[in-house]
Amino acid sequence: MRRRLICINNKSEGSGDARGMPSSSSSSLFDQLLQAAAAQPEPQRLLFVFAEAELPGDADAAQRARFEAGQGGALTPVACVEKSLPELSTFAALVAESRRVSLPWRVVFAAGLSGANGLPPSPERIDSALEAMVEGVRSGAFGGYLALDAEGRAVRFG
């Protein structure tokens, strides 16, 4: 059963190992992402793709056992959104908003998109970048994105 991807519209202006393993972090990676984006010389938009882990229908017994043990599966994007820095306060607020408007998810992938000449990226560039992120998550090519679980912990895939 395939889920329909929900692209969350902002009201503001202007196949890897799907379960992953949390890794420890000494400070909030989300806060570090916000700080890094704020330090850039050009206006930034932050892009997020929310994904759920699912067991493929043709999974064999070993794959099913791994999935039941909390490992494996396939990532399925369920929602995506872009945000400006002023629209982001805390990771908890982003999670709460996503839970109100999206299907359940297990991992959120984040990336920054830079503007140029003092202007934020165009809506066309944002849409193209989000489409590329969604496809990257579907195909397992998400190594360049920050991956966080619903508690904000880094997720490793392997």
Side-chain angles (χ1 to χ4, degrees), residues 73-155:
L75 288 171
T76 302
V78 295
C80 61
V81 67
E82 52 89 18
K83 296 277 189 182
S84 67
L85 290 175
E87 294 174 308
L88 294 163
S89 57
T90 65
F91 186 71
L94 178 68
V95 169
E97 178 184 353
S98 73
R99 297 293 190 212
R100 283 191 308 271
V101 299
S102 170
L103 295 169
W105 58 271
R106 184 176 310 265
V107 179
V108 60
F109 294 92
L113 183 64
S114 183
N117 301 319
L119 298 173
S122 69
E124 294 79 17
R125 278 194 61 223
I126 292 168
D127 288 347
S128 177
L130 278 172
E131 288 174 20
M133 281 184 73
V134 167
E135 188 50 42
V137 170
R138 281 188 180 127
S139 68
F142 42 73
Y145 306 133
L146 174 63
L148 301 172
D149 68 11
E151 285 77 43
R153 296 177 301 217
V155 177

Side-chain angles (χ1 to χ4, degrees), residues 30-85:
F30 185 77
D31 289 339
Q32 291 176 28
L33 174 67
L34 296 181
Q35 291 167 4
Q40 298 305 307
E42 295 291 348
Q44 302 289 304
R45 298 300 280 191
L46 293 179
L47 312 177
F48 300 95
V49 174
F50 300 86
E52 178 60 287
E54 295 180 333
L55 185 64
D58 61 350
D60 61 27
Q63 290 169 322
R64 289 183 189 284
R66 280 188 68 218
F67 189 80
E68 293 301 321
Q71 299 178 345
L75 288 171
T76 302
V78 295
C80 61
V81 67
E82 52 89 18
K83 296 277 189 182
S84 67
L85 290 175

